[in-house]
Structures are given as structure tokens and as C-alpha cells.
Amino acid sequence: MVGCVVAISLFLNPRLELDREKHAVRANLYSLCCDQIAKRFQVLYQSFAMVIGAQITISAINTVLTAIFVMVVGCLMRR
């Protein structure tokens, strides 16, 4: 439940630090931590995108090979 709330809130407003421009010191510890967390989220998203792309490719290959198998077996069964 908490993960869904966090995911929705990050989707609606992806910025972790809302008022960076108002800080007197822009490169403070909080800002640096927010930058690192944002980079880690970006890497995590990219890895998920790569896995999803691979899954779609594997699914397409399986679909084509299954269709070929069904056609070949169907032709053999008619004989």
C-alpha cells in the first residue's frame, strides 16, 4: 500500500527537492542526497525498461514459434 502511494506521488511530482532555488547554499547535503536518489531511480527505471523490452521480444518469438508448431502439427494430423 505504501509503495503504491510513493509510486503515485513520484509519478505526479517527480522532483524530490521542491524548493532548491530558495536555499542559500545550493549544494547542501540534502540537495546532493536528492540528486543521488534521483540518479538511482533513473538507473532502476532504465533497467526495468530493458527487462520489459526483452520480455516483449521473448514473447513475440514464442508466439511465432508456437504458431509455426501449431500449423505444422495441424497439417500432419490431417494426413
Side-chain angles (χ1 to χ4, degrees), residues 7-60:
I8 291 169
S9 65
L10 283 174
F11 178 76
L12 294 176
N13 189 1
R15 291 185 58 194
L16 296 175
E17 186 178 9
L18 299 177
D19 296 326
R20 181 176 285 203
E21 301 82 24
K22 294 181 181 179
H23 297 302
V25 179
R26 293 183 189 263
N28 57 31
L29 180 61
Y30 182 73
S31 297
L32 296 175
C33 288
C34 287
D35 290 342
Q36 287 299 315
I37 291 170
K39 286 178 187 175
R40 289 178 189 217
F41 276 133
Q42 183 179 16
V43 169
L44 180 66
Y45 174 77
Q46 288 172 347
S47 66
F48 277 129
M50 186 182 335
V51 169
I52 294 298
Q55 289 294 329
I56 290 171
T57 303
I58 290 168
S59 177

